[in-house]
Amino acid sequence: MNDNPALSGAAGGRMAVPTVAIIVAALLAPLLLYWGTAASIVSVWNSSETFAHGYAIAPISLWLIWRRREVFQHIPVVPYWPALGLLALCGAGWLVARAGEVGVVMQYAFVAMFPAVALAVLGRRLAGALTFPLLFLLFAVPFGEVFVQPLINFTADFTVAAVRATGIPVLRNGTMFELPTGNWSVVEACSGVRYLISSITLGCLYAYLSYRSNWRRALFIGLSIIVPIVANGLRAYMIVMIGHTSDMALATGVDHLIYGWLFFGLVMFIMFWIGSYWREDEAPIVPATAGTNGAALHSAASRPVLGVALAAVAVCALWPALAYVSDKAAHNPAPVQLDGSRLASSPVGGTTWSPTYQPADAVLKGKYTAGGVPVELNVLYYRNQNPEKRLISSVNRVDSRKEEFQQVASGGRTEDIGGQPLALRETRVRGPQGNYLVWHWNWVDGGFTANDYVGKLRQAKAKLMMHGDDGAALMVATPVGENLEAARAALRSFLGANLAPLEATLEAARGR
């Protein structure tokens, strides 16, 4: 009798203990080789309540595998060598993302190595039987910040439309709006990104455990995406109405958050309750080869996995080694010097507005005039970037997370500067001394871009080509009132005289 089904390689036979040890060692190899990336994931779990559920992902994945432990009795371990190509692709993606300082891509590439290693050492059939438990590990990656601003915009649109439909007048300014009884603002905490991430994670798990047909699983997962977005809009509307009808006595403090989570919990309970009516029984496990005796299957399961395991570890180790070589070759120890004397305009004072960016290696800032209109310049230069010092990061903002400066609206533009098109982003920021119009873009690998994805690719290319990872954020701002075009004209005039000198200043600082 088989006392330990989890160690069975086929019906009627045990998987040898050395084989189990080799498989476990191969699966642990990515964790040891990419310890820094693993630590970065845990760091986000610790610092953000949005991703605190990450601690539960690996235990849930192991529990799901334990639930399916009988597959080890019916399906033999047959190493699958082509999976090493998939593993190499994950490693290459990690290396490129590391060069571009794209943390979330690094983390996804790292976590994806575990299913790839499992596919290589266990084989297509055995790893295939454990597809969802293995891929569920991807939910450990703290991803979702990119959806915050779109969710903020949707929530503001939904809430304002619902309040107006109720018959209450609303004066809107971007994501902020005023009712006769008080002012409201849709901020990051109101975006619903926490609800969305929690709903998708739970929805995928519930669909896997409750359904067998792919269309039912896809339908329920689709609902787990749509329902929390709409529910968050309803939540925001109800909170505004509670505040309005109570003359701002309720739903404006801690109770604001309590109402939100209670409402979200109720919505999720109703969604799962309705979904339970279409529950399907779990499919039985089909043996690898019907009619084959246990001895034959055990023989197949006993094929050596040491070779593929060593190859998998070697493939995993290749990319950190290349990263080490790239870091050494691309590192530039020289201090950054930004010479503002190249500019055609002379500063007339200090800035009153400043962005919220990670610390830069050098800063060039000041207040200038263009046609009698004040224009503020901020140039932040980065070299030898790391997770605490990045040019392009989700934590870098042209406004601030505090109340001093708040983003009102943002969008892309292309301006003609000196006869050349310049792609940039235009953002309106509300400050304590009035509103500002901000034009901002980046300089990466000797060229301008307003696209963060293009900027990351340029940075990765430059670093892997041993050119260094120098880059800079450029921002010009001017007070804006009712005449938006006058503010744009002032910024256009300033850049017409100073964009070329600014580019020359950056090239001189680069020195390569």
Side-chain angles (χ1 to χ4, degrees):
M1 182 176 179
N2 184 11
D3 296 326
N4 194 344
L7 296 180
S8 296
R14 285 176 177 269
M15 186 189 302
V17 173
T19 301
V20 176
I22 292 170
I23 292 173
V24 172
L27 289 171
L28 290 177
L31 180 63
L32 300 177
L33 292 168
Y34 298 84
W35 185 260
T37 305
S40 71
I41 294 177
V42 176
S43 175
V44 177
W45 295 347
N46 290 334
S47 61
S48 174
E49 294 181 1
T50 302
F51 304 108
H53 68 277
Y55 281 107
I57 299 300
I60 291 175
S61 179
L62 291 174
W63 172 72
L64 292 173
I65 292 173
W66 177 254
R67 287 182 72 252
R68 299 278 291 169
R69 61 190 181 276
E70 65 271 20
V71 300
F72 293 94
Q73 291 180 281
H74 300 282
I75 304 176
V77 174
V78 182
Y80 184 60
W81 287 87
L84 296 178
L86 178 61
L87 185 61
L89 186 62
C90 293
W94 177 87
L95 180 64
V96 173
R98 185 179 184 277
E101 287 293 338
V102 188
V104 68
V105 178
M106 289 174 61
Q107 293 165 356
Y108 268 120
F110 157 67
V111 175
M113 290 180 182
F114 293 98
V117 172
L119 177 60
V121 298
L122 297 178
R124 287 185 299 173
R125 293 220 46 191
L126 186 51
L130 302 171
T131 297
F132 183 84
L134 291 171
L135 294 182
F136 189 73
L137 289 170
L138 295 173
F139 281 107
V141 177
F143 173 73
E145 294 288 344
V146 67
F147 301 122
V148 169
Q149 193 57 49
L151 288 172
I152 287 176
N153 295 335
F154 173 83
T155 304
D157 294 341
F158 187 101
T159 306
V160 170
V163 171
R164 285 173 176 167
T166 309
I168 301 172
V170 182
L171 177 62
R172 180 177 178 179
N173 184 9
T175 58
M176 294 170 282
F177 48 93
E178 301 178 14
L179 274 66
T181 52
N183 301 334
W184 297 87
S185 176
V186 181
V187 295
E188 183 174 338
C190 304
S191 66
V193 68
R194 295 181 185 177
Y195 305 145
L196 179 60
I197 293 173
S198 299
S199 176
I200 294 175
T201 304
L202 292 174
C204 289
L205 182 60
Y206 184 88
Y208 170 73
L209 294 174
S210 302
Y211 308 120
R212 285 192 292 121
S213 60
N214 289 331
W215 74 267
R216 292 192 185 189
R217 288 175 173 174
L219 179 60
F220 191 86
I221 292 171
L223 288 175
S224 71
I225 297 173
I226 296 172
V227 168
I229 295 176
V230 176
N232 186 62
L234 290 171
R235 176 196 67 86
Y237 165 68
M238 289 190 297
I239 287 175
V240 170
M241 292 305 298
I242 291 172
H244 175 73
T245 55
S246 66
D247 200 22
M248 304 301 284
L250 299 175
T252 58
V254 176
D255 54 343
H256 179 124
L257 300 177
I258 295 175
Y259 295 155
W261 278 110
L262 289 175
F263 180 71
F264 172 73
L266 177 62
V267 169
M268 289 297 99
F269 172 78
I270 294 174
M271 188 172 73
F272 293 146
W273 175 62
I274 294 174
S276 66
Y277 282 94
W278 291 273
R279 185 182 181 91
E280 296 174 302
D281 293 331
E282 193 170 1
I285 298 173
V286 179
T289 306
T292 303
N293 60 41
L297 282 175
H298 180 60
S299 176
S302 300
R303 295 178 184 180
V305 297
L306 180 59
V308 72
L310 290 176
V313 173
V315 171
C316 288
L318 172 64
W319 309 102
L322 291 176
Y324 177 81
V325 173
S326 174
D327 286 349
K328 288 294 184 181
H331 182 78
N332 185 355
V336 180
Q337 301 289 337
L338 290 178
D339 185 7
S341 64
R342 297 173 180 267
L343 299 183
S345 304
S346 299
V348 295
T351 60
T352 56
W353 162 84
S354 61
T356 305
Y357 267 57
Q358 291 183 316
D361 291 277
V363 177
L364 176 61
K365 61 190 303 184
K367 180 183 290 186
Y368 302 81
T369 58
V373 178
V375 174
E376 298 186 10
L377 170 69
N378 276 274
V379 179
L380 308 177
Y381 197 102
Y382 294 83
R383 172 176 290 168
N384 303 324
Q385 299 181 48
N386 58 59
E388 285 73 43
K389 186 184 66 174
R390 289 182 291 189
L391 166 63
I392 303 174
S393 171
S394 60
V395 302
N396 291 343
R397 306 165 63 102
V398 297
D399 60 353
S400 65
R401 294 184 182 272
K402 299 180 180 179
E403 295 297 324
E404 289 85 355
F405 297 99
Q406 289 188 337
Q407 177 176 307
V408 175
S410 183
R413 288 183 64 83
T414 299
E415 289 288 338
D416 186 293
I417 307 296
Q420 298 293 326
L422 175 65
L424 50 83
R425 291 198 62 81
E426 178 180 273
T427 300
R428 279 184 289 166
V429 177
R430 186 180 71 173
Q433 299 179 7
N435 293 347
Y436 286 84
L437 182 69
V438 184
W439 284 358
H440 50 106
W441 66 101
N442 295 323
W443 175 84
V444 183
D445 195 26
F448 293 133
T449 179
N451 188 304
D452 287 347
Y453 300 105
V454 173
K456 286 293 190 181
L457 288 173
R458 285 185 180 178
Q459 178 184 325
K461 175 187 173 183
K463 189 168 182 179
L464 293 175
M465 296 294 291
M466 314 304 177
H467 296 162
D469 62 356
D470 289 30
L474 297 95
M475 288 157 275
V476 289
T478 188
V480 58
E482 298 297 327
N483 193 340
L484 181 61
E485 287 303 320
R488 287 172 175 165
L491 296 180
R492 199 177 293 120
S493 174
F494 176 80
L495 290 178
N498 292 284
L499 184 60
L502 277 172
E503 189 171 11
T505 298
L506 296 174
E507 288 290 353
R510 188 183 187 193
R512 285 193 179 215

